[in-house]
């Protein structure tokens, strides 16, 4: 069955296509912050290095409420060097917002993240961002994006994607480039309509796949992931599995869900929601937090191998250890 009151989405893009600015507008219009609250730009880029470089490096979770619907949003890196972060996040969500620049169109990282999303079978909403730029060419961008879907062997359903035109800096969106609404309402409506709720086994044995790790000075390692089955409660004993043969036992000391821009303590979390678990000091990405008695591991996370590999080893040259005289040359 599917939960109808939650949507889990990832926002994916090529670097510098306006993703973080769009997320800022989504958070502000969902009333995540008080009207008189001073909020810095690029809210989700909280890491010092991210703010210095102006790029997203680590994926981050937040949530908003829209018409009694909870939307869990995961902001992902747009730079190809951090593609592994995107791949892990795609295990948590059921759909993605593919943000594309209205002038540049699809770029190399756009291809990578879209390829991964299509392989997972996720629904895709294409957001043509920065539509207010004078040199915007929305028709070219949409045609190029559709051709990319075809090249990546997308299904017929995936090729029939919803297109939203947006200006993240102005906080406006619409179904037509020439007729934007005064807010991002059309974007929120498209998320609810086009991206399905999480598929869950409500009455099954507890299963949660760990897709990310954070660290807190007081709480230690914090495991983040989506609950696939059952109910997870604070203080419960669980089985932590890497494989069916490799398991150990632990206890959940604290449990959190994402509410707006902060983690909020919870007594229990139902299947389908994204949560943060404390108390398992040696937890690793890819492990499954399962029922103590009958729990079984979920399939491990697979991350694509790097394109370039380098091996640093000792010198095995036949000239190792030998000295050579300096050679000279003459310029004629």
């Amino acid at each position: 069955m599917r939960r109808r009151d939650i949507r889990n989405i990832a926002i994916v893009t090529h670097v510098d296509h306006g993703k973080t600015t769009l997320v800022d507008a989504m958070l502000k219009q969902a009333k995540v912050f008080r009207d008189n609250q001073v909020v810095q730009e690029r809210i989700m880029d909280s890491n010092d290095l991210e703010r210095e470089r102006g790029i997203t490096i680590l994926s981050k979770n937040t949530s908003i409420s829209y018409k009694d619907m909870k939307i869990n949003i995961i902001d992902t890196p747009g730079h190809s060097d951090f593609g592994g972060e995107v791949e892990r996040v795609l295990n948590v969500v059921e759909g993605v917002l593919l943000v594309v620049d209205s002038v540049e169109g699809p770029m190399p990282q756009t291809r990578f993240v879209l390829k991964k999303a299509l392989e997972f079978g996720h629904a895709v909403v294409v957001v043509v961002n920065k539509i207010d730029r004078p040199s915007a060419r929305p028709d070219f961008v949409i045609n190029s994006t559709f051709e990319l879907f075809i090249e990546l062997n997308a299904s017929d359903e995936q090729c029939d994607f919803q297109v939203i035109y947006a200006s993240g800096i102005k906080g406006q969106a619409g179904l037509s480039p020439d007729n934007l609404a005064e807010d991002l309402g059309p974007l929120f409506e498209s998320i609810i309509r086009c991206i399905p709720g999480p598929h869950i086994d409500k009455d099954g044995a507890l299963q949660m796949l760990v897709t990310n790790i954070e660290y807190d000075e007081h709480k230690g390692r914090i495991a983040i992931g989506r609950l696939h089955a059952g109910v997870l409660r604070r203080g419960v004993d669980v089985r932590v599995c890497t494989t069916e043969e490799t398991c150990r036992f632990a206890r959940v000391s604290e449990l959190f869900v994402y509410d707006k821009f902060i983690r909020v303590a919870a007594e229990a979390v139902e299947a389908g929601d994204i949560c943060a678990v404390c108390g398992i000091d040696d937890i690793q990405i890819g492990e499954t937090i399962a029922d103590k008695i009958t729990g079984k591991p979920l399939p491990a996370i697979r991350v694509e191998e790097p394109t370039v590999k380098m091996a640093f080893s000792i010198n095995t040259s036949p000239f190792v250890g030998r000295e050579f005289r300096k050679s000279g040359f003459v310029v004629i």
Side-chain angles (χ1 to χ4, degrees):
M1 62 176 292
R2 290 188 179 274
R3 284 193 66 170
R4 299 183 179 277
D5 60 335
I6 287 180
R7 296 292 185 271
N8 298 320
I9 65 169
I11 303 184
V12 297
T13 184
H14 184 81
V15 65
D16 201 30
H17 277 199
K19 167 184 59 62
T20 306
T21 303
L22 181 64
V23 174
D24 285 359
M26 294 174 69
L27 293 173
K28 291 174 182 177
Q29 293 190 19
K31 302 299 181 182
V32 169
F33 307 102
R34 302 187 311 272
D35 292 337
N36 62 344
Q37 185 173 351
V38 178
V39 180
Q40 62 186 4
E41 293 182 354
R42 303 197 313 275
I43 305 165
M44 297 293 282
D45 288 345
S46 54
N47 183 282
D48 290 339
L49 183 60
E50 291 177 322
R51 299 197 64 80
E52 177 186 342
R53 298 292 180 87
I55 61 174
T56 303
I57 297 175
L58 302 173
S59 61
K60 302 173 191 67
N61 299 63
T62 187
S63 76
I64 61 175
S65 296
Y66 182 79
K67 293 185 177 180
D68 299 325
M69 180 79 65
K70 181 179 182 181
I71 303 176
N72 286 312
I73 301 174
I74 305 180
D75 187 21
T76 65
H79 199 286
S80 58
D81 289 347
F82 313 110
E85 287 274 323
V86 181
E87 289 189 74
R88 293 201 303 270
V89 162
L90 293 176
N91 286 272
V92 182
V93 301
E94 288 73 41
V96 300
L97 298 186
L98 180 69
V99 180
V100 185
D101 188 281
S102 64
V103 177
E104 294 181 350
M107 299 293 282
Q109 183 67 358
T110 311
R111 183 185 186 92
F112 174 80
V113 296
L114 178 59
K115 175 176 177 286
K116 293 302 175 183
L118 296 177
E119 288 175 354
F120 276 88
H122 290 335
V124 180
V125 174
V126 176
V127 181
V128 181
N129 196 26
K130 303 183 183 180
I131 196 63
D132 53 325
R133 294 178 64 177
S135 55
R137 42 180 185 171
D139 291 339
F140 165 79
V141 171
I142 293 302
N143 290 335
S144 300
T145 305
F146 180 75
E147 290 174 1
L148 184 57
F149 271 74
I150 298 299
E151 290 177 17
L152 297 176
N153 298 318
S155 65
D156 293 341
E157 292 78 11
Q158 289 171 326
C159 287
D160 188 21
F161 52 83
Q162 174 69 60
V163 179
I164 295 293
Y165 302 91
S167 170
I169 197 167
K170 292 183 177 180
Q172 295 179 303
L175 299 176
S176 167
D178 302 320
N179 186 22
L180 301 184
E182 293 299 319
D183 55 20
L184 295 175
L187 176 59
F188 292 133
E189 293 290 347
S190 297
I191 292 172
I192 295 174
R193 184 178 66 255
C194 301
I195 296 178
H199 185 78
I200 63 170
D201 184 1
K202 185 177 181 180
D203 300 321
L206 171 66
Q207 282 184 315
M208 171 185 160
L209 182 65
V210 178
T211 55
N212 206 355
I213 297 288
E214 291 184 2
Y215 183 80
D216 184 271
E217 292 183 358
H218 305 288
K219 298 179 176 60
R221 293 172 75 86
I222 303 174
I224 300 172
R226 178 167 68 87
L227 205 60
H228 289 255
V231 178
L232 181 59
R233 302 182 187 279
R234 184 174 68 88
V236 72
D237 293 327
V238 295
R239 175 184 294 182
V240 181
C241 301
T242 304
T243 64
E244 291 194 14
E245 294 78 21
T246 309
C247 295
R248 61 192 185 280
F249 297 100
R251 171 170 291 185
V252 176
S253 62
E254 292 186 81
L255 188 61
F256 298 89
V257 294
Y258 291 90
D259 183 16
K260 297 181 179 179
F261 199 60
I262 60 175
R263 287 195 299 259
V264 178
E267 290 295 321
V269 177
E270 296 182 353
D273 207 352
I274 296 174
C275 62
V277 178
C278 303
I280 309 176
D281 296 333
D282 56 350
I283 192 70
Q284 299 292 334
I285 291 175
E287 293 185 321
T288 300
I289 299 175
D291 182 79
K292 182 179 179 181
I293 301 174
T294 61
K296 295 182 179 180
L298 291 162
I301 296 175
R302 298 179 182 272
V303 177
E304 186 171 302
E305 294 293 327
T307 305
V308 178
K309 294 182 179 180
M310 300 181 69
F312 296 90
S313 60
I314 61 174
N315 188 352
T316 58
S317 166
F319 302 109
V320 63
R322 298 185 180 184
E323 295 183 0
F324 293 87
R325 291 178 300 175
K326 293 183 179 179
S327 61
F329 62 90
V330 178
V331 178
I332 300 177

